[in-house]
Structures are given as C-alpha cells and as structure tokens.
Amino acid sequence: MLRTALTLALTATVAVYGATFDVTFGTAGHNVPSTLYGLMFEDINHKADGREFFDRVVTVAFMPNSFKIVHSNKSLPVNATIFPCTSAALNSWAALGRATISVVKSSSPVSTALPNALSFSVASGTTGTVGFTNAGFFGFPVTAGFIYTGSFFYRTPSPPAREVSGTFTADLRSTSGTVFTSTTVPFTTSSTWQLATFSFTASSTQTSVENLFALSVNATTVAGLTMEFTLISLFPPTFNNRANGFRLDLSEVNVSQRQNITLLSSDSPEGTASPFIKLNVAVINKSLPDLEGETPAERWAWENTVGDLVDRPGRLGTWGYVNTDGLGLFEYLQWIEDMDMQPIMAVYAGAILSSIPYRARRFSLDGESVAEDDLQPYITEAINQINFVIGDATTNPQGQMRAAMGHPDPFTLNYIEIGNEDFFSPATYTDYRWADFFNALHAEFPQLHYIATSATSGFVPTLTPAPTFWDLHIYSNPNFFINGAFNFDILPRNGLQFFQGEYACMTNNAGTDLSFPFIDGSIAEAAYMTGFDRNSDIVFAASYAPLLQHISNFQWSPDLISFSPNTVIPSTSYYVQKLFSLFKGDFYLTSTTNTASSPVQWSVTRDTASNQYFLKVVNTATSANTVVFTLSFTPGSTAGTGTILTAPSGTMNTPTNPNAAVPSNFSFTAGKTITYNAPALSLSVLTVVG
Ligand SMILES: *[C@@H]1O[C@H](CO)[C@@H](O)[C@H](O)[C@H]1NC(C)=O
Ligand SMILES: *[C@@H]1O[C@H](CO)[C@@H](O)[C@H](O)[C@H]1NC(C)=O
Ligand SMILES: *[C@@H]1O[C@H](CO)[C@@H](O)[C@H](O)[C@H]1NC(C)=O
Ligand SMILES: *[C@@H]1O[C@H](CO)[C@@H](O)[C@H](O)[C@H]1NC(C)=O
Ligand SMILES: *[C@@H]1O[C@H](CO)[C@@H](O)[C@H](O)[C@H]1NC(C)=O
Ligand SMILES: *[C@@H]1O[C@H](CO)[C@@H](O)[C@H](O)[C@H]1NC(C)=O
Ligand SMILES: *[C@@H]1O[C@H](CO)[C@@H](O)[C@H](O)[C@H]1NC(C)=O
C-alpha cells in the first residue's frame, strides 16, 4: 500500500452543467467476471491484529523479549524495541488491591514463542481482594446476551510445599468497579503452566466502552505467592463461532444489539456480494540477516502464524504495531471460506521493505531486495505456503498441518500474486524475481493464476515470462478518477488481464489528505468504476483499499469502513462499492461511448438469471445532468426501481455523523426510453426488467 507516483497524461475536467447525454444500448457486449468487485485486506490501521478487528477484546501474548502492548499508540516506539521486557509493556495493565505486577522473562516459558510473562506478587499477610486489570484495546464493549469466552496460562514458579487451591474471579467491570458479568475459575499452585478457560454472559449493554477486564483472587489465599500469567485472552462471539474469529458486526448482520449492517459477508442480499479478498499478508520487513538465513522476529512468515496460539511468536507488523498473529493464515482462510469468498493470496517475493513508519516510508521508495542467489529459501517458503492452503492432507507436510488445524480439505485458491508493490525494487523484479518465482511456482502449481505486482508508471509490463495477470494500485484525487474512467479502454486486448488491487480517492483536488472518504471522491471513484464494468473483458477484479480503520489508532486514511470497539462506520465509498457489487450483473452491454472528460459516466449490465438490466449513472458535477437511455427492447414492466447515493459536496460519514450519506430507493417509470435527471454528485442504479 503506497500512494503511487503514477501519472498519466490527463485532460482537464471540463464542467458541462445541465447537459443531456443520450445513451443507446443494444445486445452487444461481453461477460462480466464473477470476481469483479472484491475486498482488499492488509493489516494496517489495527484491522487485524489480535484484539480489535476480530475482537479478541484482550489477548496478551507476552512476546519474545517483549510484552503485548494493549494500549499501543502512536507515541510508542515503532521499531523492534516495542517488545521490551520492561514496565512499558504494562501499558493498560494495573494491579488491583495490594498486589505487585511486573513483566519478566519466565525461567520456564510457556513456549519458545512466548518467553515473557506477567508476574503477579502478593506479600505475606495481605488481605482483601488482589488481582490485575486490563483496559482493552481502547476499551471493552459490553453487549447484552454476548457470551464472552476467555483463557489464560498461569503457573507458580516457586510453589509452596503444600499445594494451594482457590478460585480466580474473571469479570468485566466499569472503571469505577461496577461488575457487569463475572465467573470463577479454580486454580491450584503448580510450577508447570496450567491453562484456565472460562466464559461469562453480559446481561446488559453498556454505552461506554471504557471498561476493564479483571482477574482477581482473595488475597488470603495467595498471600506470600508469586504467580506468572501469559496469553490472556477474552473473546466475544465471533463470526461463525470460529476460534480466534472475527467481529460479528464487521462480518455480518444479525447483531441486533449493535448495527444491522452486513459489511463484508457475501451471502446476504444486504452484503457487498464480494467474491474475493486480496490478502496482503506477505509484505514484510526482511532485515539483512535474512539474507544469511536468519529470521528476524518481526518477519511475516506463514509458519509462525499457524498452529496453536501459544506457538505463534507474533512480530512487529509492517505498519509499526505489534501483531500477535492470532489472526494467522488459517484464520484468514477460514474466514474467507465462511464468507463464501476466495482469496487472492500475495506471497513474499524478496523485496526488502523498511519497517519505518508510514509517513517516513511513504517518501522513501528506494527498497532493496534479496539477491538472486539467495532467493531459493523464499521460493520454497512460498511453495510451502501455497501447500498449506491446497496441499494434500495426507501426503503433503503443509497439507497435514492444515488438516491438523481442522481443515483437511484444501481451501479454494486460484490466484497468487508474486510480491506486493515490488516497484520498491523494480529492477530486481524485472531482472529475476518475477521470473524465478513465476517459473518455480508455475512448475509446482500449474493450475494457479499468477499475478504480477504493480508498476511504477503506465500500464504495460515488461516482464519475462510475460504475465497474464497484472495488479495496479492507484491513490489519487477526484479529478484523477473522473478523468481516468477511460484508462482501460485504450489498452490492447492481447490476453493481459488487470486487477485494480488498490485504489482510492485519498485527497481532495487541492491535495489535502482526507480523514474519511467524502462524497466528491466516492462519486469520482464510481465514475472510474464504470470503466471497470466497461472493460471487464480485461479487468477481472478490483478492490478499494484500505478496507478497515480503527478510529482510535490508524496509519492511513481514508478507509472503506471505520470502526471503534462498538461502532462501525461505513463510508460513502463503502456504499459505492456495495452498489457496484450488488448490481454487478453478468453481462456488460455496449452503449453509446462517452468521453473521459465528461462529468457524467454510465454503464449498463444485465443479470441473465433474473433478466434485469442495471443502468448505473454517475454524475460527478455539482449540478444535475440528464441522461436519456434508449433501450433496444420494451421493458417487461413499467415499474422501475432505483437506488441512489448522493449528498452535498464535502459530505463524509464520520463517527459523529455515521449516516450522513446512505443509499435510498426510488421508483421510476420504465419504457423503451428512460429520461433520468441525475442529481449533483450522485451514483444511481436504475433497475429495469427485461
Ligand atoms: C500513548 O502512550 C504514551 C506512552 O505510554 C502515553 O504517555 C500517552 O498518554 C498515550 N497517548 C494516548 C492518546 O493514549
Ligand atoms: C527505536 O526507535 C526509537 C524512537 O524512535 C529510537 O530512539 C531507537 O533508537 C530505535 N531503536 C532501534 C534499535 O532502531
Ligand atoms: C478470603 O478468605 C478468607 C479465608 O477463607 C476469608 O476469611 C475472607 O473473608 C475472604 N476474603 C474475601 C475478601 O472474600
Ligand atoms: C442470529 O444469531 C444468533 C446467535 O448467533 C442465532 O441464534 C440466530 O439464529 C441468528 N438469527 C438469524 C435470523 O440468523
Ligand atoms: C436490528 O434488527 C433487529 C431485528 O430486525 C431490530 O429489532 C433492531 O432494532 C435493529 N437494530 C438497529 C440498530 O437497527
Ligand atoms: C527491518 O527491521 C530491522 C529491525 O527493526 C531494521 O534493523 C532494518 O533496518 C529494517 N530493514 C529495512 C530494509 O528497513
Ligand atoms: C432498497 O431496495 C432493495 C432491493 O432493490 C432492498 O433490498 C432494500 O432493502 C431497499 N432499501 C431500503 C432502504 O428500502
């Protein structure tokens, strides 16, 4: 993900106000691929790691030389020193009663992956209640009816001669101590690690998310003891009840206590019907020791993200915050399968990206790359990663790992992207990395499609072997997207297929960064997307990026969907994606050709099974324009249904005004001629029965 330097010769937008556009369409056209409108998923903006996106409301894995930082924020160091075994790691943790907590390297760690622990000490003679609390990741939502499940590991490094037994109390409480839900968890002193599991149900919904998770115990029971804890985890219900699963409200509807919106799920009529998720999980910082075969702790290596949570070391993520990798490759694949989608999986292809934070990295494009002679381990790693997804469950070692995690059947996998934005190191990508990866992977998995990663400029790749699939990324301003509606029309039909894997209107026309998508930019994206419909003979997939943003801590804006612990804010661009996706159709009908500089763009598609025609009209102007459609047939019904997204210039859906612009329905009279007055800054979809 990078704001590209991609520049194209553009003509200035000529505002034509109050014009009439005549559109005629017949029966000529081409199929629209089922993959056309999908989603892009990269761990940025805290969308994935451990606690928030998939709502592990607190999971604390005490990482290598480190400690999970639950309240990570921008003022904390973003380099590898984020894993200190120091009190900094106690951010958001607090002792309860007369107890002492600290971070220690355990003398007998729960696993090699997780060497650190929270040490909890209670002096002899202490009375009352003691324990510790955690403030969650910007809070804990408490939702009536939700069953929360939790677990933690504990041990007593120097147990008393006579075993001590007692009960911990696990609860969710307000910061002032009002307990909303709790349960007891029996324990016995032992020098070996014990796993405790528990669950409780909230009976009320709290409007405030500033709540605490607490683990407490009668001080008399533990007086004089020191105990260690690690991998402390608490989950609300997850999508499809998956372990380490995803937040319900970001995955599907049916959470009446929260918001009734299906955001990402494909199988609901209210969903975006998205066919794929592009997984940018492989782009990582490889430090130089890597070239000699060492693996820095922060590297995204798929093997470190699968298997038991206790064996996942986590890493410093590409975007400068700690990833537990509790959301690992298996969980991603499971989620995608549960949503009836397919992955487009990126594999690491030897580019060395800096782990410096976004603002600095953005202007530092001079990446290095792994030398050709040293590439083989990474090619093997990519082969193993693919085998984890599709390898035979009985004969292939990685397939066996997948089967051991409960999924003997291969996952669906059709597309592999070799690298991601490897124009950081363009020369080596064209010199050897593309060829070496492509040749090796293609030989091993000839049935898969291989996508070459983004270009620095222009659209025509010069790679050998010539790729069949090519990923393009573009972040720009409204005028770029309006003028770019015909970018794909001029490309040769020579077998090359395009994936607009990332795109978003990121600034206004004056170049000012946007905090949230605004209607002007979203409508400009819609104008650009009519070009996807029209060119879907060569554009096989497209995904807006980034997908998700934690509003309390993020590295990039604007984003498709913003969220807090208990709210979800779909942007104006989300609704554009949703409408294109819902009204995608399966056949594009050629219509009157427009011009790139026009303020009005359109596309016409048909859904064969339902015999419905979708007339998408995008008016990017700040005043209305009229479009006259002349159909090649008389509609089967005069009752036309329309859906429109429109709002005054500058409108954004924000945390304080989340529904500033949402689509609404209308009806119109359908005839052989349809005259539609498209309001200023609007995307309309007119549905006509054939
Ligand atoms: C971020 O963390 C620093 C260091 O722990 C702390 O001083 C600061 O108050 C935190 N800021 C926010 C907004 O939480
Ligand atoms: C990590 O970042 C901090 C703050 O920017 C800096 O002081 C420190 O030197 C860095 N450490 C390393 C190992 O890069
Ligand atoms: C703790 O346990 C002791 C001994 O059983 C009991 O006397 C005391 O009341 C308990 N304290 C609390 C706070 O429950
Ligand atoms: C909604 O979710 C609950 C809990 O997962 C489930 O029991 C219920 O059947 C679901 N309702 C619908 C209409 O899907
Ligand atoms: C969500 O849907 C349920 C069931 O249809 C309804 O009772 C509830 O009021 C809705 N909640 C919101 C926030 O719209
Ligand atoms: C990758 O990260 C390591 C450790 O944080 C750092 O020393 C190294 O400079 C980074 N590599 C690049 C190419 O930025
Ligand atoms: C708009 O129409 C669609 C069907 O085309 C329907 O599914 C949806 O519920 C309607 N929305 C509203 C807000 O009425």
Side-chain angles (χ1 to χ4, degrees), residues 434 450-453 455 458-463 465-472 488 491-499 535-541:
W434 160 258
Y450 297 93
I451 305 171
T453 192
F459 289 112
V460 182
T462 50
L463 294 174
T468 311
F469 299 90
W470 189 258
D471 184 6
L472 301 166
F488 288 98
L491 296 175
R493 268 49 185 173
N494 58 6
L496 196 56
Q497 291 279 317
F498 292 92
F499 171 28
N535 292 281
S536 57
D537 57 325
I538 58 165
V539 178
F540 77 100

Side-chain angles (χ1 to χ4, degrees), residues 5-17:
L6 191 142
T7 49
L8 297 169
L10 301 173
T11 50
T13 305
V14 181
V16 182
Y17 297 113

Side-chain angles (χ1 to χ4, degrees), residues 127-130 217-221:
T127 56
T129 298
V130 290
V217 59
N218 183 334
T220 310
T221 318

Side-chain angles (χ1 to χ4, degrees), residues 282 284 286 290 295 299-303 345 347-349 375-388 398 437 441:
I284 50 177
K286 301 264 186 177
D290 243 16
T295 305
R299 173 167 158 268
W300 194 94
W302 72 271
E303 279 173 287
M345 187 170 77
V347 295
Y348 176 69
L375 216 51
Q376 188 54 49
Y378 304 102
I379 294 173
T380 304
E381 181 176 274
I383 289 172
N384 290 345
Q385 181 178 334
I386 295 168
N387 270 324
F388 180 79
Q398 290 78 33
F437 270 86
L441 299 186

Side-chain angles (χ1 to χ4, degrees), residues 46-107:
H46 290 280
K47 65 177 59 162
D49 175 61
R51 305 135 302 202
E52 43 290 8
F53 175 52
F54 67 121
D55 225 0
R56 191 200 289 204
V57 285
V58 54
T59 294
V60 183
F62 301 103
M63 303 184 134
N65 306 311
S66 80
F67 207 111
K68 186 64 175 272
I69 295 164
V70 171
H71 262 319
S72 63
N73 70 31
K74 280 178 174 170
S75 60
L76 291 164
V78 293
N79 53 27
T81 58
I82 199 168
F83 300 122
C85 187
T86 70
S87 58
L90 289 174
N91 189 4
S92 93
W93 291 92
L96 261 185
R98 286 162 50 223
T100 310
I101 59 170
S102 62
V103 190
V104 296
K105 272 190 200 302
S106 179
S107 57

